[in-house]
Amino acid sequence: MNVVAPHRVDGDGRSQVSLAELIALRARVGRVRMAPLLSRAARSGQQSSRLYGRGMDYAESRVYQAGDDVRRLDWRLTARSGKLHTKLFQEDREGSLLILLDTHDSMRFGTRTRFKSVQAARAAACAAWYASRAGERVGVMAFGHADQLLRPQAGPRGVLAVCGALGEWDILPADKTTSRIEPLSDALRRASRVVHGASRVLLISDGFSCDALARQRLLDLTRHAGVSVLVVADTLELALAPAGRYPLEHAGERREVRLQSDRQRQDFQRALGAGPARLGELAGSLGLRCTSIDTTADPFDAVTGLFGGARPKR
């Protein structure tokens, strides 16, 4: 995949993704390392456990259990104890991060600094650079108007490929006449097909695609990977708007919304904030790492918080 499309004029970083800004975030991440990835998530929730397989690093021996590989019997311990014991080896797995990026039309909205779609791309790039610093492979899957997958790749080249994809997917097709809506549950089902082994998944969305089936699909995904959720919202979706007149534009049509009474402001905020609230509540009910950012925030702190915090690289 080309990092920069030759015909593409770089975005302004406000209503369109700026590829130059995404690449520059490498310096923002700095010399930090993610928390070590020991294993995928356990059978449910975010419990983690050390995986044992057929790697080269001996971990320990335990009493033989039905189904254990007889080639891994610890004959010395068996002879000493009089009971069959099996050797366990810490499996060598390369960590990977798969970013699930919401590209629905609802993301192309913003009243402060930048669109949610641009903020989501910034957060995704920040996460990709951060994961790469930790030696993890990085990939990204778009859902919504873009329906594409960039499988995890290692090193800076892998992150540059992610940044290139983020820039390309931000461009709407010239012949786009209808909005494609993909339920979050469908996106999670697609993601479960490409997540294998020791992996992290970062879902970045405003939550408006969240549907009834998303809960079960999200729970299923946690059985294969450690899942974190970053909710991207506009300021007006997170808090009551001050009383006043608000000009809004959608699909070339301009309208003015007047918010005077407390009731009007509350109803407006409730309608605008329905998606972020729904996704945040879903993540919380499943015990997932989750945080919200608005379109003015620096995504670095949110990303590092979701991944367990940053520490200097030695």
Side-chain angles (χ1 to χ4, degrees), residues 53-313:
R54 302 181 61 178
M56 298 304 296
D57 295 331
Y58 171 77
E60 63 181 2
S61 294
R62 60 162 168 76
V63 175
Y64 175 85
Q65 298 177 2
D68 284 350
D69 189 343
V70 296
R71 294 172 297 179
R72 298 291 177 178
L73 289 176
D74 187 336
W75 293 111
R76 291 185 178 181
L77 185 54
T78 295
R80 291 198 305 268
S81 66
K83 295 182 179 180
L84 286 175
H85 280 72
T86 301
K87 290 182 178 180
L88 301 179
F89 295 83
Q90 184 172 346
E91 194 168 17
D92 183 16
R93 290 174 180 260
E94 182 182 13
S96 64
L97 170 67
L98 179 64
I99 302 168
L100 305 184
L101 182 72
D102 193 336
T103 62
H104 281 99
D105 285 352
S106 62
M107 297 290 289
R108 297 177 179 276
F109 173 78
T111 62
R112 298 289 189 278
T113 309
R114 57 182 65 86
F115 279 5
K116 290 185 290 184
S117 55
V118 175
Q119 181 71 315
R122 295 173 76 237
C126 188
W129 286 119
Y130 186 27
S132 179
R133 288 284 186 183
E136 294 191 352
R137 295 176 294 119
V138 183
V140 60
M141 189 191 88
F143 66 99
H145 93 78
D147 177 9
Q148 300 190 49
L149 168 68
L150 179 65
R151 292 185 178 276
Q153 303 176 52
R157 289 180 62 87
V159 184
L160 289 174
V162 168
C163 292
L166 295 173
E168 290 179 17
W169 297 343
D170 185 60
I171 302 175
L172 290 174
D175 59 348
K176 180 178 181 293
T177 57
T178 58
S179 300
R180 180 178 185 273
I181 299 177
E182 180 179 11
L184 179 58
S185 59
D186 287 355
L188 295 172
R189 181 175 56 184
R190 286 200 289 125
S192 66
R193 297 171 182 168
V194 298
V195 174
H196 303 287
S199 302
R200 299 179 193 261
V201 172
L202 174 61
L203 170 62
I204 304 177
S205 172
D206 64 2
F208 282 100
S209 62
C210 195
D211 61 326
L213 290 176
R215 177 184 175 83
Q216 184 58 50
R217 296 278 166 76
L218 196 55
L219 182 60
D220 292 341
L221 190 60
T222 64
R223 298 189 176 103
H224 305 284
V227 180
S228 300
V229 179
L230 180 61
V231 183
V232 179
D234 183 74
T235 302
L236 294 184
E237 295 173 338
L238 297 176
L240 290 178
R245 299 180 178 181
Y246 292 85
L248 300 177
E249 181 177 349
H250 177 68
E253 183 178 350
R254 289 175 175 264
R255 292 187 178 183
E256 184 180 80
V257 177
R258 297 185 180 184
L259 303 177
Q260 301 298 334
S261 68
D262 291 343
R263 176 68 178 274
Q264 288 176 326
R265 295 162 58 210
Q266 291 170 359
D267 290 345
F268 184 72
Q269 191 274 326
R270 190 177 299 112
L272 279 185
R278 187 160 57 243
L279 181 55
E281 291 171 0
L282 173 59
S285 70
L286 295 176
L288 305 181
R289 284 181 174 267
C290 178
T291 191
S292 300
I293 58 172
D294 64 27
T295 56
T296 67
D298 182 346
F300 176 77
D301 291 338
V303 168
T304 56
L306 287 173
F307 288 152
R311 63 178 186 272
K313 182 179 178 181

